[in-house]
Amino acid sequence: MIVLGIDPGVATVGFGIISANNGEIKPRRYGVISTPAKMRLALRLKQINNDVAELIKTFKPDAIAVEELFFNTNQKTALSVAQGRAAVILAGEEHGIPMYEYTPLQVKKAVTGYGRADKKQVMEMVQRLLALEAIPKPDDAADALAIAICHARTSSSLLTIEGGNVCSTI
């Protein structure tokens, strides 16, 4: 199974592509999609959509795992992330790729075994689980790999098979 993990945003979208077979997880590619701050929002979203579509065409993932929107005190940031998620979700839908969403707590638990792990612990486990020489940079890419690992580790559960965590609407 090939999983495309996405850490959504507008300025920076982290992506991580892994292959998972029989409990073995290997990295394929990771990085970020960046959009210029002075670019009109509609063009930034179009670029994200196009770049995610290109990743889909190149790597042919079986699933896309995206971080669920987390509302904190900054509503402007939450709105921006939601718009970036929409561009990603649309790209997946246009290519018929099943989309799954995970909360930060689910990702941390799947990667470290502890849902309240700090960012450093998650990044170190991503490095260890994927046998990488260093922690993936930038942080958005490491987060995207963690999201992909989360899906790989939970995708065989009965909850997921029966439709749990499937992102059906935005």
Side-chain angles (χ1 to χ4, degrees), residues 61-169:
D62 300 297
I64 299 174
V66 64
E67 189 170 64
E68 193 172 281
L69 188 56
F70 176 73
F71 287 97
N72 57 13
T73 57
N74 191 338
Q75 292 178 355
K76 186 176 180 183
T77 300
L79 181 59
S80 177
V81 171
Q83 291 168 322
R85 282 183 84 240
V88 170
I89 291 168
L90 180 60
E93 185 64 27
E94 289 174 334
H95 291 87
I97 309 298
M99 183 84 54
Y100 300 85
E101 57 184 349
Y102 298 94
T103 66
L105 187 115
Q106 288 173 304
V107 173
K108 291 174 182 181
K109 186 164 177 71
V111 173
T112 69
Y114 177 58
R116 304 276 185 223
D118 65 33
K119 193 167 190 72
K120 184 176 183 226
Q121 289 172 306
V122 174
M123 291 179 156
E124 288 172 350
M125 282 303 295
V126 166
Q127 177 189 1
R128 188 173 299 169
L129 291 168
L130 297 177
L132 299 170
E133 291 183 18
I135 291 173
K137 295 289 180 192
D139 291 357
D140 302 293
D143 291 344
L145 286 168
I147 295 161
I149 291 168
C150 175
H151 180 72
R153 289 184 150 193
T154 61
S155 64
S156 62
S157 78
L158 186 58
L159 175 64
T160 302
I161 291 168
E162 292 181 355
N165 288 342
V166 176
C167 180
S168 59
T169 61

Side-chain angles (χ1 to χ4, degrees), residues 7-103:
D7 182 29
V10 171
T12 306
V13 177
F15 71 87
I17 302 160
I18 62 167
S19 58
N21 295 310
N22 298 324
E24 184 179 2
I25 301 172
K26 294 184 178 183
R28 304 275 308 266
R29 169 114 12 113
Y30 59 89
V32 294
I33 298 166
S34 298
T35 63
K38 295 187 188 231
M39 184 184 278
R40 285 188 307 117
L41 176 61
L43 293 176
R44 293 172 92 178
L45 296 174
K46 182 177 180 181
Q47 179 183 330
I48 292 166
N49 180 272
N50 290 342
D51 289 355
V52 170
E54 191 60 37
L55 289 170
I56 291 168
K57 289 176 196 169
T58 302
F59 293 95
K60 299 174 180 35
D62 300 297
I64 299 174
V66 64
E67 189 170 64
E68 193 172 281
L69 188 56
F70 176 73
F71 287 97
N72 57 13
T73 57
N74 191 338
Q75 292 178 355
K76 186 176 180 183
T77 300
L79 181 59
S80 177
V81 171
Q83 291 168 322
R85 282 183 84 240
V88 170
I89 291 168
L90 180 60
E93 185 64 27
E94 289 174 334
H95 291 87
I97 309 298
M99 183 84 54
Y100 300 85
E101 57 184 349
Y102 298 94
T103 66

